[in-house]
Amino acid sequence: MTATVTSPRQVDPAEHAHATELAFLAAFDGGARPPGWRLTPRAVVTFIVGSDGEQLTLPKGARPDGVPAKLEIARKFVGDRALVERCVVTLAGERGLLLVGEPGTAKSMLSELLSAAVCGTSELVVQGTAGTTEDQLRYGWNYALLLAHGPSPEALVPSPVLTAMRAGQVARIEEITRCLPEVQDAMVSILSDRRIAVPELAGTPGATVHAAPGFTLIATANLRDRGVSEMSAALKRRFNFETVGPIPDLAAETALVGRQARAALQRAQTPFEVDEAVLEALVTAFRDLRAGRSVEGWEVERPSTVMSTAEAVAVATSLGLAAAYFPGDRDVLSLLPAHILGVVCKDDPSDSAKLLGYWDGAVRRRAEDGARLWRRLWELRDDLQP
């Protein structure tokens, strides 16, 4: 008998990556659950924001096979707990949830974590683009079966949204404002009527698909994309809006960047050898340029691109890979200016002048104050010249 071989994956969905925690929390909190939910609302929040370093203990007799009796729940989303609680309350009320914010603020990650905790799957996703069609939101057809036997339930190909409606699960719509208006309009009836009509099956039990209890939508939208396909007032009314902002704390953002960069290098089976001081300098520069003001209060000219945490993770990962694959060629800190320049110039190459201004301002002043790492960065100013 041939054994089934599972291909390795670069990134596991949240429900697979954190399967032990989800199973533990399902047994840990036996309280009331909204219809169709795997966890209680309180356990969903704990899954996302962690147990604050506390080891939770399962009640006696409530330990499933393969689940530890005690477990500390790791923090996965670095953000306001109250924001997560509001998101959970919205989903418990079966209302649509729209996560908005600047690019790179972990909206998609929060959407995935919520879906995985609520219904056990985060993979019922429609990626919004200008090419997204109404069929991708509702249903399509297996044309071979359609031509051979005509319209039938067997020939119908359900969308992720239709699948979620049937099962009472959460469907996710990424970048909703990139969808064309006619596609967005289809969401209005889905969220209002909680059913999808299939006129091709008129007169059969499959002519209308009704949403099972627990069904709802989580959508994401970037604030910078609002002009792509502005949402109608009718669609906006059917969502609760929650704004996901940048991480407010330097130490928390630095820890997150380091953690995610380490995870990326772990997948590449290489050690992460970037000093914590270098990571802090990287995140500090990103935060200064993002805010338009340094931590000391000095004015900084903001570049056009979003200096997001996700971009900082990408830079930290690149530094780690350079240290792993080209050891001894150059010190990691010397690579930092060019990588930051690459991020700054993504939207507008002329923003390189703004980065030079940052170097001539905040970096120089920190160097003059005697900070050794910033003095070294100041010496690397020529790496920013075209």
Side-chain angles (χ1 to χ4, degrees), residues 22 25-34 37-47 88 92 117-118:
L22 290 169
L25 286 169
F28 173 76
D29 190 342
R33 294 163 166 78
W37 283 39
R38 298 288 188 90
L39 304 180
T40 67
R42 185 181 297 276
V44 173
V45 174
T46 301
F47 171 69
V88 170
V118 166

Side-chain angles (χ1 to χ4, degrees), residues 76-279:
K76 301 162 194 68
F77 174 73
V78 181
D80 186 14
R81 181 187 181 94
L83 164 69
V84 179
E85 290 177 350
R86 290 195 302 272
C87 292
V88 170
V89 167
T90 294
L91 298 177
E94 297 181 337
R95 185 166 170 81
L97 171 65
L98 181 60
L99 303 173
V100 301
E102 295 285 354
T105 50
K107 300 181 296 298
S108 295
M109 183 181 76
L110 178 56
S111 167
E112 180 182 353
L113 291 169
L114 286 165
S115 301
V118 166
C119 65
T121 179
S122 62
E123 298 189 279
L124 298 174
V125 186
V126 176
Q127 179 62 51
T129 69
T132 300
T133 65
E134 193 174 337
D135 288 355
Q136 291 171 271
L137 198 68
R138 294 163 62 86
Y139 60 87
W141 296 98
N142 180 322
Y143 286 102
L145 289 176
L146 187 66
L147 292 172
H149 306 291
S152 65
E154 293 74 27
L156 186 141
V157 179
S159 71
V161 175
L162 187 60
T163 300
M165 292 179 72
R166 286 173 168 170
Q169 296 177 318
V170 179
R172 301 165 54 212
I173 313 292
E174 290 290 321
E175 309 287 2
I176 190 173
T177 52
R178 289 192 171 274
C179 296
L180 294 175
E182 56 266 28
V183 177
Q184 294 185 20
D185 288 345
M187 298 181 209
V188 176
S189 61
I190 291 172
L191 288 170
S192 297
D193 304 331
R194 301 287 164 153
R195 59 180 179 264
I196 289 179
V198 187
E200 297 90 343
L201 299 180
T204 73
T208 302
V209 178
H210 294 270
F215 164 73
T216 193
L217 293 177
I218 303 177
T220 64
N222 285 326
L223 291 174
R224 297 202 176 200
D225 289 342
R226 280 188 170 176
V228 176
S229 292
E230 179 66 28
M231 293 172 64
S232 68
L235 184 55
K236 287 179 180 178
R237 287 197 303 271
R238 285 157 177 81
F239 281 103
N240 281 359
F241 281 57
E242 292 293 345
T243 301
V244 183
I247 299 171
D249 182 65
L250 171 62
E253 186 170 6
T254 302
L256 176 65
V257 169
R259 186 164 62 249
Q260 294 201 354
R262 286 185 183 89
L265 264 73
Q266 189 175 30
R267 291 195 297 272
Q269 300 181 351
T270 57
F272 184 73
E273 298 179 350
V274 178
D275 189 87
E276 288 295 322
V278 176
L279 281 179

